[in-house]
C-alpha cells in the first residue's frame, strides 16, 4: 500500500477513539485522541514507511516524543504529519482537509491539481479550475492556474467586510466533468453552492453580527445571508448561472447585473438569500438570458455602424495604395521618357553629322539625367514607404481600440486581408519599377562614360563579342 493510502487507513482506524480530532492544512495534518492499539499500530506503520518526504511526530499526554508503539494504553496522543508543499498542487489525506481547502477560496484558486488520499480508483473528477484525482504517490508539482482577463466574482461583488467576500475565481466551483461522484463529491457540492451564492449578489456586508446580501434590482433587496445554499433541485441551476455569468467571455458585469436584477424581481420578502436562491436562480437565469440577447440586438446597431465606418476607412486606404502604385509607375515612365529623349537628341545630332562621336557636353547630360531619374525615384519610394508605415501603425490602433468586438478571423476577413493584399500589390509594382529604373540609370551612366571617352565603344563591342564566343567553349 502506498504511503498516502497508509496514512488514510491510519486516520480511519483512529476515528472511533475518544476525543478524536483531526485538523489538516496545506502540508500539515494533526490527529489527536485516546487511540486504540490498532490505531497506534497503524500509525507505527506510517512511521516505518519508506517515505523520506514525510515527517511523523508523535507526542504523548506529557508532550514527550514517543514512537506510536510505545504509547501507554489510555494515554492521549497527538500525531503530526508534515511535508513540503508543491507549487500548483494540493495533497490531502482527509475529507476534513478537502473541505477546508474548498472553503478557503484564495488557497483553492492558487492550484490546478488536487490529489486526495481517501479517493478510490476512478473516483476523480474535473472542475473548470481543478483536476481532482486519487493520491497514490509522492507529492508532485503541477502547472499554475491559467490567468483570466475577464472580471472575477471579487471584482463584481462589492464587499464591506474582509471576512465576507466572494471568491477571486469561480472556476474551482463549476463542474467540468459530466458527473461529479465519489467520496470527494459531497463536500465539493456543498462548498460550490456556498461560493456560487457569494458570487451572485451585488453586495456582501455585515449588519451587526449577521451577514447580509444585497440585490440591486427593482425593488432592491437586503437579505439575510443564512441557510444551506444548496439542494438537489437548485444545484444544477446554480452551476449554470455561475458558468453563464463568469465563464462565457466578456460582458461579465452586464450579465451579472441582469441576473441579480431578475433575482431581486423574483424574490419573496422575508426569505433569506441562501435558502431562496436554489429555487429562484433557475427562472431568474432564463429571464436574464433573454434580457442579454435583447441587449446584444440593441448593441448590434452600433456594431453595424462601426463596421460600416471600418469598410469606408478600408476602401479609402486601399484607394490610396492603388493611387500610389499608379503615381509611382507614372513617375517612373516619365523619368524614363526624359532619359530616352536625351538619347534620341544625341542620336539625331550624330545622324545629322553623318557619324558617331564623343562629347563632354553629352557626357554631363547623361550623368545629370541618370541622377535625376535615380533621385526622383528614391524620393517617391521613400515617401510611399513612410505612408505605409503610418497606415500600418493606425491598423494596430483600430484593432485594439475601435474594433475589439471582432474576433481575429472576422477582422482579418474585413480589414487585414484586403489591406495586406493591396500592400502586396504595391510592393510588387515597386519591385518591378525598381528594376526598370536601375537598368535605365546604369545604361545612362555607361553612355555618360562612353561619351566622356573613358570607355572605347569599339573595344567594348570587341570584348563582348569575344566573351560571347568563349561561352560555348567553356561548356
Amino acid at each position: 500500500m502506498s504511503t498516502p493510502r497508509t496514512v488514510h487507513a491510519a486516520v480511519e482506524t483512529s476515528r472511533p477513539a475518544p476525543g478524536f480530532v483531526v485538523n489538516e492544512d496545506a502540508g500539515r495534518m494533526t490527529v489527536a485522541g485516546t487511540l486504540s492499539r490498532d490505531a497506534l499500530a497503524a500509525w507505527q506503520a506510517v512511521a516505518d514507511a519508506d517515505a523520506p518526504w514525510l515527517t511523523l511526530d508523535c507526542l504523548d499526554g506529557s508532550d514527550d516524543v514517543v514512537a506510536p508503539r510505545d504509547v501507554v494504553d489510555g494515554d492521549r496522543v497527538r500525531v503530526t504529519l508534515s511535508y513540503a508543499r508543491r507549487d500548483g498542487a494540493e495533497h490531502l489525506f482527509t475529507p476534513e482537509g478537502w473541505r477546508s481547502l474548498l472553503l478557503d477560496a484564495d488557497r483553492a484558486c492558487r492550484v490546478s491539481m488536487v490529489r486526495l488520499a481517501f479517493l478510490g480508483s476512478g473516483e476523480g473528477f474535473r472542475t473548470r479550475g481543478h483536476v481532482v484525482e486519487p493520491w497514490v504517490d509522492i507529492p508532485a508539482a503541477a502547472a499554475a492556474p491559467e490567468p483570466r482577463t475577464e472580471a472575477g466574482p471579487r471584482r463584481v461583488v462589492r464587499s464591506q467586510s474582509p471576512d465576507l467576500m466572494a471568491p477571486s475565481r469561480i472556476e474551482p466551483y463549476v463542474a467540468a466533468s459530466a458527473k461529479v461522484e465519489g467520496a470527494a463529491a459531497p463536500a465539493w457540492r456543498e462548498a460550490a453552492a456556498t461560493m456560487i451564492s457569494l458570487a451572485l449578489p451585488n453586495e456582501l456586508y455585515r449588519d451587526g453580527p449577521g451577514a447580509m446580501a444585497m440585490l440591486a434590482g427593482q425593488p432592491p433587496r437586503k437579505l439575510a445571508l443564512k441557510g444551506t445554499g444548496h439542494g438537489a433541485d437548485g444545484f444544477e441551476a446554480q452551476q449554470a448561472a455561475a458558468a453563464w455569468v463568469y465563464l462565457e467571455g466578456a460582458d461579465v458585469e452586464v450579465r451579472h447585473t441582469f441576473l441579480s436584477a431578475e433575482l431581486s424581481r423574483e424574490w419573496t420578502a422575508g426569505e433569506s438569500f441562501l435558502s431562496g436562491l436554489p429555487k429562484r436562480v433557475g427562472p431568474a437565469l432564463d429571464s436574464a438570458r433573454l434580457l442579454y440577447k435583447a441587449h446584444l440586438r440593441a448593441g448590434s446597431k452600433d456594431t453595424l455602424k462601426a463596421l460600416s465606418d471600418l469598410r469606408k476607412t478600408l476602401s479609402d486606404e486601399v484607394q490610396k495604395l492603388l493611387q500610389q502604385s499608379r503615381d509611382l509607375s507614372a513617375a517612373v515612365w516619365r523619368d524614363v521618357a526624359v532619359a530616352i529623349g536625351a538619347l534620341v537628341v544625341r542620336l539625331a545630332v550624330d545622324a545629322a553629322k553623318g557619324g558617331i562621336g564623343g562629347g563632354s557636353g553629352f557626357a554631363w547630360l547623361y550623368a545629370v539625367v541618370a541622377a535625376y531619374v535615380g533621385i526622383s525615384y528614391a524620393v517617391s519610394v521613400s515617401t510611399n514607404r513612410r505612408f505605409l508605415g503610418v497606415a500600418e501603425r493606425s491598423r494596430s490602433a483600430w484593432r485594439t481600440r475601435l474594433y475589439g468586438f471582432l474576433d481575429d478571423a472576422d477582422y482579418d476577413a474585413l480589414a487585414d486581408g484586403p489591406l495586406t493584399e493591396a500592400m502586396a500589390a504595391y510592393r510588387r509594382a515597386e519591385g518591378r519599377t525598381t528594376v526598370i529604373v536601375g537598368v535605365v540609370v546604369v545604361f545612362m551612366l555607361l553612355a555618360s562614360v562612353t561619351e566622356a571617352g573613358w570607355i572605347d565603344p569599339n573595344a567594348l563591342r570587341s570584348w563582348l563579342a569575344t566573351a560571347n564566343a568563349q561561352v560555348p567553349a567553356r561548356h
Side-chain angles (χ1 to χ4, degrees):
M1 184 184 296
S2 67
T3 300
R5 295 291 175 82
T6 303
V7 174
H8 172 60
V11 173
E12 294 305 308
T13 307
S14 303
R15 288 188 184 277
F20 172 80
V21 176
V22 59
N23 291 304
E24 186 174 10
D25 203 346
R28 184 180 180 86
M29 183 183 72
T30 301
V31 173
T34 306
L35 304 184
S36 64
R37 298 312 306 178
D38 289 342
L40 292 171
W43 286 112
Q44 187 62 49
V46 175
D48 295 338
D50 183 15
W53 54 271
L54 184 66
T55 301
L56 184 146
D57 296 317
C58 181
L59 302 179
D60 61 12
S62 301
D63 287 341
D64 294 327
V65 178
V66 296
R69 67 167 67 92
D70 297 332
V71 174
V72 177
D73 289 343
D75 196 4
R76 184 173 178 82
V77 66
R78 184 168 74 252
V79 178
T80 301
L81 297 178
S82 58
Y83 57 92
R85 294 186 60 186
R86 303 303 195 268
D87 293 337
E90 287 279 356
H91 299 78
L92 302 168
F93 295 109
T94 64
E96 288 84 356
W98 169 232
R99 185 175 294 105
S100 176
L101 169 67
L102 291 170
L103 295 177
D104 186 349
D106 290 337
R107 178 180 155 205
C109 293
R110 289 194 295 266
V111 298
S112 63
M113 178 72 71
V114 180
R115 300 185 177 99
L116 305 175
F118 59 89
L119 285 186
S121 178
E123 288 191 351
F125 60 89
R126 288 176 177 268
T127 71
R128 297 287 188 93
H130 290 158
V131 175
V132 182
E133 64 181 20
W135 181 17
V136 295
D137 206 345
I138 63 174
E146 294 183 1
R148 290 185 59 86
T149 57
E150 292 80 11
R154 195 165 290 177
R155 292 177 57 187
V156 176
V157 182
R158 296 187 299 274
S159 178
Q160 306 296 333
S161 176
D163 61 343
L164 184 63
M165 300 180 70
S168 57
R169 295 167 63 102
I170 204 65
E171 287 90 338
Y173 306 102
V174 177
S177 300
K179 293 183 179 180
V180 178
E181 298 176 343
W188 179 82
R189 291 173 66 90
E190 181 179 353
T194 300
M195 292 299 170
I196 290 173
S197 299
L198 296 177
L200 297 183
N202 297 94
E203 186 175 349
L204 298 169
Y205 64 99
R206 290 196 176 276
D207 186 5
M212 303 291 290
M214 186 186 75
L215 296 173
Q218 293 295 331
R221 306 281 187 179
K222 296 182 178 181
L223 308 169
L225 190 69
K226 60 183 180 180
T228 59
H230 68 282
D233 295 337
F235 183 75
E236 296 302 327
Q238 286 179 272
Q239 289 278 296
W244 180 72
V245 171
Y246 291 106
L247 303 179
E248 293 193 7
D251 284 346
V252 170
E253 293 89 345
V254 174
R255 291 194 296 270
H256 181 269
T257 299
F258 285 153
L259 181 61
S260 61
E262 289 303 306
L263 283 172
S264 177
R265 190 172 62 84
E266 292 275 345
W267 217 267
T268 300
E271 190 172 31
S272 69
F273 185 70
L274 293 182
S275 297
L277 182 63
K279 59 187 175 183
R280 303 196 184 282
V281 69
L285 177 60
D286 293 338
S287 299
R289 281 174 168 162
L290 292 175
L291 285 174
Y292 185 65
K293 289 180 180 179
H295 165 75
L296 292 179
R297 284 195 295 270
S300 65
K301 296 178 182 178
D302 296 334
T303 302
L304 291 175
K305 184 178 183 302
L307 289 174
S308 176
D309 293 342
L310 172 61
R311 190 181 70 170
K312 183 178 182 302
T313 303
L314 171 64
S315 178
D316 293 342
E317 295 298 330
V318 170
Q319 290 299 322
K320 289 178 182 177
L321 287 171
L322 294 176
Q323 184 61 42
Q324 282 188 329
S325 299
R326 289 193 291 266
D327 292 345
L328 182 61
S329 298
V332 166
W333 290 115
R334 182 193 63 220
D335 295 343
V336 170
V338 172
I340 294 173
L343 289 173
V344 169
V345 171
R346 176 58 174 146
L347 293 175
V349 171
D350 289 340
K353 291 181 178 180
I356 299 176
S360 60
F362 276 101
W364 282 107
L365 175 62
Y366 291 154
V368 170
V369 170
Y372 167 73
V373 172
I375 294 173
S376 175
Y377 181 76
V379 170
S380 298
V381 169
S382 174
T383 301
N384 290 346
R385 287 182 177 177
R386 281 196 294 269
F387 171 79
L388 292 179
V390 172
E392 192 70 28
R393 289 191 294 272
S394 67
R395 286 167 63 194
S396 300
W398 293 354
R399 181 70 185 100
T400 56
R401 299 182 182 179
L402 297 178
Y403 305 109
F405 57 86
L406 292 176
D407 59 27
D408 291 338
D410 289 341
Y411 187 78
D412 182 71
L414 291 171
D416 263 355
L419 280 175
T420 301
E421 292 177 3
M423 288 185 177
Y426 168 79
R427 291 190 177 99
R428 287 193 296 270
E430 180 184 306
R432 296 188 186 107
T433 54
T434 300
V435 172
I436 295 172
V437 169
V439 170
V440 170
V441 170
V442 169
F443 185 79
M444 296 299 294
L445 291 176
L446 286 174
S448 176
V449 297
T450 301
E451 289 288 346
W454 296 349
I455 296 177
D456 185 0
N458 295 324
L460 179 62
R461 284 194 294 270
S462 299
W463 179 82
L464 290 175
T466 303
N468 290 333
Q470 291 176 353
V471 169
R474 284 198 293 267
H475 289 288

